[in-house]
Amino acid sequence: MSRAGETSRPDQKAGSGLAAPGQVEPVAARFQAALRMEENKPDFPDLGSPVSPLRPCPANSSSSSSSSGSASGKVVPLPHSPSGPAARRPAAPDPGRRSHYGELSGEISQHQSDSGPLIFSVGGGCGGSICTASSPNTNVLPTGNIYPSGKIGKTGMMPRTTPRSDVLGSGTGNYGHGSIMRGGMSGGGAARPSGGAGMGNSVDSTTRRATGRMDPQEVTRAGNEHYKRGQYGEALAFYDRAVAMCPENAPCRSNRAAALMGLGRLQEAVRECEEAVRLDPANGRAHHRLACLNLRLGLVEDARKHLLLTGQPPDPVELQKTQAVERHLVKCGDARKIGDWKSALREADAAIAAGADSSPPLIASRAEALLHLQHPDEADSVLSRSSEFKDSLPFSSATKIFGMLSSSYFYIVRAQVDMAMGRFDNAVTAAEKARKVDARNVEVTMVMSNVRSVARARAQGNELFKLGNFAEACAAYGEGLRYNTSNSVLLCNRAACRSKLGQWQKSVDDCSEALRIRPNYTKALLRRADSYGKLECWAECVRDYEVLRKELPRDTEVAEALFHAQVALKTCRGEDVSNLKFGGEVEEVTGVEQFRAAISFPGASVVYFMVASNPQCTEITPSVDALCNRYPSANFLRVDINRSPDVAKAENVRIVPTFKIYKNGTRVKEMICPSQQVLEYSVRHYGL
């Protein structure tokens, strides 16, 4: 569009809606052209559900929007227009017609006082309330007649004597909402013609328009564009604005719920959907979204209820998901009753895969099955996911699972997992929460009693152990094991008492049972290795310490214990241990014979070929010294190839720095100019 006082560009095509050069086209004619374009423009797509789109209801009439009433293609003459039929305005809106700007339904009309803010009246959406928002007069279609000369005046008033070129600017199919631009300018730039690529196809242009106006439909449109691109945070920001402008509008609430679902904020999404249903009980999309949310939370009955309230036949896909979740829940409960924990785990996984992926009770069911299958670490890992859904617990607290309230069941599983992992205080807290929610349930009462008994026995045993009363501490831990026979922490604590009492074999037995339950229980492995050493079972002792060295590579005490166990094992086998050493500095090698003897030592030997004047060697030498101290069980050797050319020639070393790792005289690894990270990884991997 040309600026005021300028002529059109030579490349402007006929029929573009622009005036000829040097001419100002009447505003009314432009408005009529805009209305015809609006009638031919396809409806703006409804915002779909991110979980399962609701099939759209057929519209009763063609849908378009304007600022002073929705244009339906019918125009009536302006009664005070001096131009007669040339100046027309849209007919009054049909109150029963639906809007297609996202989900913002209801007709939005603008009212403007002489000096007050622009007022949007949302029929059927804001519950009859008036949504107000300030907007510059240059961005709205003023109330009054549009004169053929382009001048605008109020009804019943004479036009101003000084003409001003008011022309229609580019629109987005929402004609009349700010489409009058004074002097042919918008924001200091030339306006683009209406239609085609200028009709709001980009998110950025839609966002700029929505940001510059306080129009709920434009704001919702911008949110829809972001939503379709998966930009749920940005979409939520626009939906928040729409809700603030029309808090009683059910579709605005439903749109906000969709964005919250995309962000995983299920509790807020449920609250928004429930508010939308309260505002408009016949809002099918809100019911559909609420059904999807309830299914994800594992609330089968609620999901089915809202599927039947959408005003359409139930979505067969969602209905099938609901039935599948319900079927797997029943089977999971049956398996739990008979203690078939493998089947219970399988059915819980199937229910989650069928659609209840955010259900705290089902996640707790998985954790409970894993705990009974002697996988406490995995159960704890699974249950830690519950922190993502902790806000969902209030929704499931009124429903039951396995004969108890859902939230109560979740807490008793949490208590049992915490107890298995040695978090006794947390276990008591969780059990008390379960009892508070469901005080009359027998299973909850029993779990509460066991948790308290185990926690009390463990606390008593710890106090006795600190006082040196190892026999009494051993008995206290044993009392706790009567209530929880598979508690690895109590088994390991009792093993420590038995080790202090010289009962080495019983200590080994307790540690082995604890490791059977928790294979990665490092403390139990340490105590068993120590007890094996006291029993002089050196092969088993070395085996445990070698595992510990991989788990604790920087623990010098473990490294030294492994070295002494290896020396003791070799001594028992009659092997020479005179050349074995633990830790120390990097040994300098000057001859081939010395080199051959050094790499033949038992264990791992790390040979560093270097030149003192080489910059790379100068840089990595401190790291080699640090590794020597960090891995004292490995034998570190240094060969300066300038001082010992025979060794370099025998090992075919031509580039420095070069590292070679040997085990019992056999080379297992060679590295040329490695980084510090690669060098340490190789030493840890091959040298332990």
Side-chain angles (χ1 to χ4, degrees):
M1 181 177 291
S2 60
R3 297 175 181 268
E6 296 180 2
T7 61
S8 304
R9 294 191 303 275
D11 60 344
Q12 290 174 340
K13 297 181 181 180
S16 63
L18 297 176
Q23 204 174 22
V24 178
E25 185 175 353
V27 175
R30 288 179 176 270
F31 194 70
Q32 290 296 319
L35 287 176
R36 287 194 296 272
M37 292 179 62
E38 175 68 8
E39 292 171 0
N40 296 327
K41 189 168 68 68
D43 293 342
F44 193 85
D46 283 342
L47 177 62
S49 167
V51 178
S52 177
L54 183 65
R55 295 190 300 276
C57 296
N60 295 327
S61 60
S62 63
S63 179
S64 57
S65 168
S66 73
S67 62
S68 59
S70 296
S72 61
K74 179 181 177 183
V75 295
V76 296
L78 291 176
H80 299 286
S81 172
S83 60
R88 300 174 181 266
R89 66 179 180 184
D94 181 2
R97 197 166 51 78
R98 297 180 61 184
S99 171
H100 290 267
Y101 291 95
E103 281 197 349
L104 187 60
S105 65
E107 299 302 326
I108 300 182
S109 60
Q110 297 177 1
H111 307 277
Q112 185 179 12
S113 63
D114 292 340
S115 60
L118 181 65
I119 301 176
F120 295 97
S121 176
V122 184
C126 291
S129 64
I130 299 299
C131 305
T132 63
S134 297
S135 177
N137 289 338
T138 58
N139 288 335
V140 299
L141 180 62
T143 303
N145 298 333
I146 303 177
Y147 292 95
S149 63
K151 295 177 290 182
I152 301 176
K154 294 184 179 179
T155 302
M157 294 182 64
M158 292 297 295
R160 298 170 60 170
T161 57
T162 303
R164 183 168 53 183
S165 58
D166 297 344
V167 296
L168 284 170
S170 59
T172 62
N174 190 14
Y175 297 101
H177 283 225
S179 55
I180 295 291
M181 289 186 260
R182 303 296 184 188
M185 300 286 291
S186 176
R192 293 190 296 272
S194 301
M199 295 190 68
N201 291 332
S202 73
V203 176
D204 292 340
S205 61
T206 305
T207 300
R208 285 195 297 270
R209 285 193 301 274
T211 304
R213 301 189 181 110
M214 296 300 288
D215 183 343
Q217 290 185 347
E218 287 290 345
V219 171
T220 301
R221 181 193 295 271
N224 292 351
E225 292 294 335
H226 285 291
Y227 182 91
K228 288 186 291 185
R229 292 175 176 246
Q231 300 167 346
Y232 302 121
E234 292 83 351
L236 180 61
F238 282 101
Y239 294 150
D240 284 343
R241 289 182 60 190
V243 170
M245 297 162 74
C246 299
E248 300 298 316
N249 185 277
C252 286
R253 296 283 185 177
S254 182
N255 284 348
R256 187 172 188 272
L260 290 167
M261 288 174 69
L263 293 171
R265 293 158 60 177
L266 302 187
Q267 179 187 10
E268 296 173 77
V270 169
R271 189 159 51 240
E272 287 297 317
C273 282
E274 289 178 339
E275 180 65 12
V277 168
R278 184 190 68 80
L279 293 170
D280 182 7
N283 190 309
R285 177 126 334 153
H287 280 294
H288 187 273
R289 285 193 175 129
L290 198 49
C292 293
L293 283 164
N294 283 321
L295 181 62
R296 293 186 65 184
L297 295 171
L299 306 178
V300 176
E301 292 300 326
D302 289 341
R304 182 183 291 108
K305 178 185 72 174
H306 286 287
L307 280 176
L308 298 174
L309 291 174
T310 59
Q312 304 179 45
D315 187 332
V317 175
E318 295 301 321
L319 192 59
Q320 186 178 6
K321 288 181 181 179
T322 302
Q323 293 169 348
V325 171
E326 184 177 36
R327 184 171 61 254
H328 292 303
L329 274 172
V330 171
K331 291 182 178 180
C332 182
D334 293 340
R336 184 178 184 272
K337 287 179 182 178
I338 62 175
D340 184 0
W341 296 108
K342 288 185 179 180
S343 296
L345 178 61
R346 182 176 63 251
E347 295 300 331
D349 287 338
I352 291 172
D357 60 343
S358 303
S359 171
L362 274 174
I363 292 173
S365 179
R366 272 197 96 238
E368 183 184 34
L370 288 167
L371 185 63
H372 284 278
L373 291 171
Q374 306 298 331
H375 299 296
D377 290 298
E378 190 175 354
D380 186 48
S381 177
V382 168
L383 203 58
S384 65
R385 288 188 57 212
S386 65
S387 60
E388 303 173 23
F389 314 120
K390 65 184 180 204
D391 292 337
S392 302
L393 284 177
F395 299 117
S396 58
S397 60
T399 60
K400 288 192 174 184
I401 183 171
F402 309 143
M404 67 190 84
L405 293 177
S406 296
S407 56
S408 177
Y409 170 70
F410 176 86
Y411 285 130
I412 66 168
V413 175
R414 175 81 268 179
Q416 292 176 86
V417 172
D418 282 338
M419 189 166 59
M421 299 302 295
R423 299 188 291 262
F424 294 93
D425 293 338
N426 292 349
V428 172
T429 300
E432 288 174 347
K433 287 182 179 179
R435 180 67 184 276
K436 184 177 180 180
V437 171
D438 200 358
R440 297 182 179 180
N441 188 275
V442 176
E443 185 174 353
V444 172
T445 301
M446 183 179 65
V447 171
M448 177 71 190
S449 177
N450 285 348
V451 169
R452 283 178 172 174
S453 298
V454 172
R456 184 166 51 248
R458 176 251 187 184
Q460 184 180 1
N462 287 356
E463 289 298 324
L464 292 169
F465 189 92
K466 291 177 183 178
L467 295 173
N469 299 328
F470 303 120
E472 291 84 349
C474 185
Y477 293 133
E479 180 68 16
L481 286 166
R482 286 201 314 111
Y483 298 99
N484 189 356
T485 57
S486 59
N487 192 287
S488 58
V489 176
L490 294 181
L491 286 166
C492 189
N493 287 358
R494 190 170 69 175
C497 295
R498 287 176 167 175
S499 178
K500 293 290 186 180
L501 295 170
Q503 300 172 359
W504 314 118
Q505 188 58 53
K506 288 185 177 181
S507 177
V508 167
D509 293 342
D510 278 347
C511 289
S512 296
E513 179 64 14
L515 289 166
R516 184 188 67 81
I517 299 168
R518 290 178 62 188
N520 297 324
Y521 195 3
T522 302
K523 187 176 289 187
L525 190 61
L526 274 168
R527 285 179 178 161
R528 189 175 73 174
D530 180 70
S531 295
Y532 273 136
K534 298 294 185 2
L535 291 170
E536 297 186 356
C537 298
W538 299 116
E540 293 82 359
C541 183
V542 169
R543 181 193 63 204
D544 284 353
Y545 277 126
E546 284 178 342
V547 174
L548 288 165
R549 277 292 286 150
K550 292 181 179 180
E551 294 180 1
L552 307 170
R554 303 193 179 195
D555 192 315
T556 56
E557 292 183 4
V558 171
E560 186 173 0
L562 173 60
F563 173 77
H564 291 305
Q566 290 172 332
V567 170
L569 179 60
K570 292 180 181 297
T571 301
C572 291
R573 293 174 177 174
E575 299 178 12
D576 182 18
V577 296
S578 59
N579 293 325
L580 293 179
K581 65 182 183 67
F582 176 76
E585 297 180 353
V586 180
E587 181 181 351
E588 187 78 26
V589 175
T590 57
V592 176
E593 293 300 323
Q594 180 188 4
F595 175 80
R596 299 292 183 201
I599 63 174
S600 298
F601 287 164
S605 298
V606 181
V607 184
Y608 170 35
F609 295 91
M610 47 82 69
V611 172
S613 59
N614 182 276
Q616 288 181 285
C617 294
T618 303
E619 182 180 354
I620 203 169
T621 294
S623 299
V624 177
D625 295 335
L627 290 173
C628 181
N629 294 324
R630 194 174 301 157
Y631 301 96
S633 60
N635 186 29
F636 283 81
L637 308 172
R638 180 188 294 115
V639 178
D640 190 323
I641 63 173
N642 286 342
R643 297 179 182 177
S644 307
D646 293 341
V647 178
K649 183 178 180 180
E651 291 298 309
N652 195 26
V653 175
R654 300 180 180 179
I655 302 175
V656 292
T658 293
F659 291 85
K660 296 187 179 185
I661 300 177
Y662 299 82
K663 273 198 170 183
N664 300 322
T666 303
R667 188 179 68 210
V668 295
K669 181 70 174 178
E670 179 175 354
M671 297 167 286
I672 298 176
C673 302
S675 65
Q676 297 179 9
Q677 293 79 7
V678 171
L679 177 60
E680 180 168 4
Y681 171 80
S682 300
V683 170
R684 184 170 67 250
H685 182 72
Y686 293 99
L688 297 180

